[in-house]
Amino acid sequence: MGLLRAGSGAFLLSFVLGSAAVGLATGKAPAAKDSVTANGYTRKWWKEAVVYQIYPRSFQDSNGDGIGDLKGITSRLDYIQKLGVNVIWLSPHYDSPNADNGYDIRDYRKVMAEFGTMDDFDALLKGVKQRHMRLVLDLVVNHSSDEHRWFVESRKAKDNPFRDYYIWKPGKADADGKQLPPNNWTSFFSGSAWKLDPETGEYYLHYFAEKQPDLNWENPKLRKEVYDLMKFWLDKGVDGFRMDVIPFISKDQGFPDLTASELPHPEFKYAMGPRLHEYLQEMNREVLSKYDVMTVGEAFGVTLEQTPSLVDERRKELDMVFNFSAVRLDQDNGKWRDWTLPELKAIYAEQDQKLDVHSWNTIFLSNHDNPRPVSSFGDDSEAFRVASAKLLATMLMTLKGTPFVYQGDELGMTNYPFKGIEDFNDIAVQNAWKELVPGKVPADVFLRNMSRTSRDNARTPMQWDGSAQGGFTTGSKPWLPVNPNYATINAKQETVDPDSVYHYYGRAIALRAKTPALVYGDFKDLDPPNPAIFAYTRTLGTASYLVVLNFSGKPAEFALPEGVKAGRLVLGNLPASEAKPAQAGGALQMQPWEARVYQQ
Ligand code: NOJ
Ligand code: CA
């Protein structure tokens, strides 16, 4: 993963080569050794990059069938490039019957027909490279679709050569001789994680939908198949993988029942199985080490204490993982919960403390599985939507770790005004409704929680302009309704408005790209218990930046601690007139949802 050939985009390259690097600390151009480390970190292109996630179904439809597709994405590459991002992560684009919108793969080497053809994929990859960006694919290999050829074979007979590609077990009989699943493991999409298959009378394991049987990583043939399919895409020139629930691939072969206290959060038992490290090291040795790529694992069920064992660069497993503490702060198992700013700050502080220079972090507040950040962590009311979306952008681009931006967040897109169960598409919501309502949870309580926490909030189509269906499709029926606020929140008007959320994202991304201290600099929270203000410094040598964020709808004062000064304002989310008086008597007067970054 050589650094020099890795710079993606002109500004990154100048960062790598130019005096802006550790030269900032010395005031001189960096010495040769400085180009490989900064503040103790090994420099890597993916540490210095900003990633933009695309959920293809909802990004841009090019043929009027109401479903986003690859040609649609290619037609929007200039828009993405102008934001200044360096990497695109594409959610699954593979052939799939869509039980879970592509996270159930039928053929790992084929493009989903609804999304286009392999030629369309090649054109997309070429367009990404031409714009000096990189493309990272989703690797979904904890499970496949039940329509995958392997599973079609596997379920046929106990002695089928593909039987051991999946996890099959006989059931247990209760006292009355009734057939029960092998253990009490539950699926994340409701009910048992085991499904009885009539063909052979055995159960197969599925942590997610019944149509997503878990693959058996104990089988070396299966592992080889996975490594080969990874090479297939890497040889096309893709730049790495986001790995879906990768910590789940190794199962405890004792298949013990979950205890009552483990049942509410089975992810902590399913993750970090006994052979996980062995598999990841093998994958790294056999595949990843041969390419200049980045990997980011979805670390659902992984504690912060366990994280270095996956991402410490000396272990040669993964480059980074997604830790869920921040993004899930406002929910527990789909139930909305109030959160406080000190809780959020404590998460980032702890991440900073527990990950040393050998382990790199990710920074994100959303993805296709979570609600819109401006609705969860900001304030999506008319008064504060724009300011709070910009404040969140400021935080994402100034914390330590690679920032991930989910499509539409750069416009300040909001949650959807769901009314009834029929408004939801997500299999997780539909299954939970069947299991819980009305016996266990009243319908109105269920719907109120889901409207705040559901994954569908992130999946409504991109809002490109003020025309019908927000310019997402020329057809009359997008696969999921467009948020009715598309007339006021859309890319067309934001790209012409220099004060838009979109252009603010661009400025924040550009600032990070040219400021090594915001990438590698030390992080220090200046006032952890402050309930309204998140204020921190990022320091690299003599270069130091002060970030002050007012996470509230009320004005707030922030008294500058001893030795901290607010020097030159390099980024701010309010027009100067509103921001005044900026400083009075050693204190900053912050307007509601105001964000400022100062060079000290
Ligand atoms: C995590 C993915 O992000 C989510 O969308 C999916 O439903 C599950 N893994 C199962 O693949
Ligand atoms: Ca389409």
Side-chain angles (χ1 to χ4, degrees):
M1 300 194 192
L3 193 66
L4 286 181
R5 63 165 288 244
S8 118
F11 43 85
L12 264 187
L13 209 55
S14 72
F15 175 177
V16 170
L17 297 171
S19 61
V22 184
L24 267 187
T26 57
K28 291 187 223 127
K33 73 173 177 36
D34 293 333
S35 65
V36 291
T37 63
N39 205 21
Y41 290 96
T42 309
R43 297 184 63 183
K44 297 283 182 189
W45 60 264
W46 42 266
K47 294 180 184 173
E48 301 173 8
V50 175
V51 184
Y52 185 85
Q53 183 193 353
I54 292 183
Y55 194 66
R57 205 169 190 77
S58 305
F59 194 64
Q60 174 71 75
D61 176 21
S62 72
N63 63 352
D65 67 355
I67 296 170
D69 45 52
L70 299 184
K71 275 197 173 122
I73 299 172
T74 304
S75 75
R76 295 295 185 178
L77 287 177
D78 287 339
Y79 166 89
I80 300 169
Q81 185 195 20
K82 282 184 188 143
L83 258 184
V85 301
N86 319 99
V87 178
I88 294 174
W89 151 28
L90 188 64
S91 274
H93 66 289
Y94 314 96
D95 177 44
S96 162
N98 284 310
D100 187 22
N101 286 345
Y103 282 92
D104 48 319
I105 297 170
R106 182 165 47 203
D107 186 337
Y108 288 96
R109 294 168 198 242
K110 214 167 136 191
V111 171
M112 190 189 301
E114 286 171 331
F115 291 172
T117 62
M118 193 61 91
D119 285 348
D120 295 335
F121 178 85
D122 293 340
L124 169 61
L125 181 59
K126 192 165 163 212
V128 170
K129 301 270 164 163
Q130 275 167 350
R131 288 166 181 80
H132 309 289
M133 295 187 288
R134 295 169 186 262
L135 186 65
V136 163
L137 300 183
D138 221 306
L139 183 73
V140 189
V141 289
N142 173 68
H143 46 267
S144 72
S145 163
D146 66 340
E147 296 183 29
H148 193 291
R149 186 176 63 87
W150 301 333
F151 192 75
V152 172
E153 285 299 318
S154 184
R155 75 186 338 171
K156 280 184 182 162
K158 289 184 188 167
D159 60 357
N160 187 286
F162 290 89
R163 187 68 168 180
D164 287 346
Y165 275 45
Y166 294 87
I167 299 162
W168 293 97
K169 293 265 168 252
K172 282 194 311 211
D174 71 3
D176 305 327
K178 197 176 144 236
Q179 171 100 299
L180 293 176
N183 66 21
N184 69 351
W185 291 7
T186 52
S187 153
F188 293 107
F189 293 164
S190 302
S192 170
W194 296 96
K195 168 91 176 155
L196 179 63
D197 202 43
E199 199 59 41
T200 56
E202 286 194 332
Y203 289 79
Y204 66 86
L205 181 68
H206 63 90
Y207 282 166
F208 294 89
E210 286 175 15
K211 284 183 70 63
Q212 292 167 295
D214 280 47
L215 290 161
N216 179 20
W217 277 69
E218 297 284 318
N219 180 351
K221 275 202 231 138
L222 178 273
R223 301 206 297 276
K224 166 101 175 36
E225 299 262 19
V226 171
Y227 304 153
D228 286 350
L229 75 88
M230 290 172 73
K231 287 184 203 147
F232 171 82
W233 292 100
L234 291 170
D235 288 341
K236 273 184 172 289
V238 309
D239 301 288
F241 296 104
R242 172 269 185 186
M243 301 190 186
D244 193 73
V245 289
I246 198 74
F248 291 177
I249 58 177
S250 164
K251 272 78 180 173
D252 180 340
Q253 296 300 300
F255 294 91
D257 272 339
L258 296 172
T259 62
S261 63
E262 288 164 355
L263 272 166
H265 285 284
E267 62 271 25
F268 292 105
K269 291 309 282 184
Y270 298 166
M272 304 300 295
R275 296 182 68 187
L276 176 65
H277 294 303
E278 176 194 335
Y279 297 156
L280 291 177
Q281 284 172 14
E282 182 181 78
M283 177 195 277
N284 195 302
R285 201 170 53 242
E286 298 295 321
V287 186
L288 300 168
S289 62
K290 305 193 161 121
Y291 302 83
D292 175 22
V293 293
M294 66 166 254
T295 57
V296 52
E298 188 197 21
F300 193 40
V302 175
T303 64
L304 189 54
E305 286 69 26
Q306 292 165 332
T307 297
S309 74
L310 294 170
V311 300
D312 185 315
E313 62 200 351
R314 296 165 299 188
R315 295 178 55 83
K316 303 199 185 321
E317 295 188 21
L318 300 172
D319 292 328
M320 305 172 262
V321 297
F322 294 127
N323 172 294
F324 282 77
S325 312
V327 76
R328 288 282 161 97
L329 185 58
D330 72 333
Q331 57 171 298
D332 185 20
N333 275 337
K335 239 163 104 189
W336 184 79
R337 70 177 282 275
D338 217 348
W339 60 278
T340 67
L341 185 62
E343 284 177 316
L344 183 68
K345 293 192 268 192
I347 290 169
Y348 290 125
E350 217 194 332
Q351 290 179 358
D352 185 58
Q353 283 154 16
K354 298 226 164 104
L355 303 179
D356 68 9
V357 288
H358 298 291
S359 296
W360 192 247
N361 201 11
T362 57
I363 299 293
F364 69 106
L365 284 177
S366 59
N367 58 32
H368 64 292
D369 291 331
N370 290 284
R372 289 290 177 182
V374 71
S375 300
S376 296
F377 297 98
D379 179 340
D380 62 8
S381 70
E382 207 181 318
F384 297 130
R385 182 187 66 85
V386 169
S388 65
K390 291 176 179 175
L391 173 140
L392 296 174
T394 315
M395 187 181 82
L396 288 172
M397 296 309 146
T398 56
L399 283 173
K400 197 197 288 174
T402 297
F404 286 70
V405 180
Y406 179 70
Q407 68 184 39
D409 288 348
E410 77 280 13
L411 302 174
M413 277 177 62
T414 65
N415 280 355
Y416 184 84
F418 295 101
K419 295 209 168 57
I421 184 65
E422 61 287 349
D423 292 340
F424 293 91
N425 167 277
D426 184 1
I427 183 170
V429 177
Q430 291 296 343
N431 284 1
W433 171 268
K434 278 182 228 142
E435 182 175 296
L436 302 173
V437 180
K440 296 183 181 140
V441 181
D444 60 331
V445 174
F446 180 91
L447 291 171
R448 217 175 316 126
N449 277 305
M450 282 304 150
S451 67
R452 295 192 85 149
T453 61
S454 155
R455 314 194 292 177
D456 283 334
N457 281 306
R459 299 176 180 187
T460 62
M462 265 293 276
Q463 296 166 203
W464 291 107
D465 58 41
S467 69
Q469 312 303 345
F472 165 68
T473 178
T474 54
S476 57
K477 214 175 161 353
W479 74 277
L480 199 62
V482 180
N483 193 313
N485 62 20
Y486 72 84
T488 47
I489 304 174
N490 65 62
K492 187 163 177 202
Q493 66 90 12
E494 293 205 27
T495 42
V496 296
D497 173 6
D499 284 332
S500 65
V501 178
Y502 174 85
H503 283 299
Y504 187 84
Y505 259 92
R507 289 196 287 278
I509 291 169
L511 176 66
R512 185 178 189 278
K514 69 172 190 202
T515 313
L518 295 180
V519 178
Y520 295 111
D522 289 340
F523 165 85
K524 182 164 186 241
D525 185 345
L526 299 175
D527 191 2
N530 191 320
I533 300 272
F534 189 9
Y536 49 93
T537 49
R538 298 294 313 278
T539 307
L540 180 60
T542 55
S544 187
Y545 290 77
L546 167 67
V547 181
V548 187
L549 312 169
N550 179 3
F551 265 83
S552 84
K554 298 203 183 94
E557 183 177 280
F558 178 65
L560 291 171
E562 187 78 33
V564 174
K565 64 176 201 289
R568 187 168 69 91
L569 187 70
V570 291
L571 187 68
N573 70 342
L574 293 187
S577 57
E578 282 177 46
K580 276 178 190 161
Q583 202 170 336
L588 301 178
Q589 309 301 325
M590 302 294 290
Q591 295 302 304
W593 293 104
E594 188 175 2
R596 298 187 205 159
V597 182
Y598 291 97
Q599 187 172 10
Q600 290 214 70

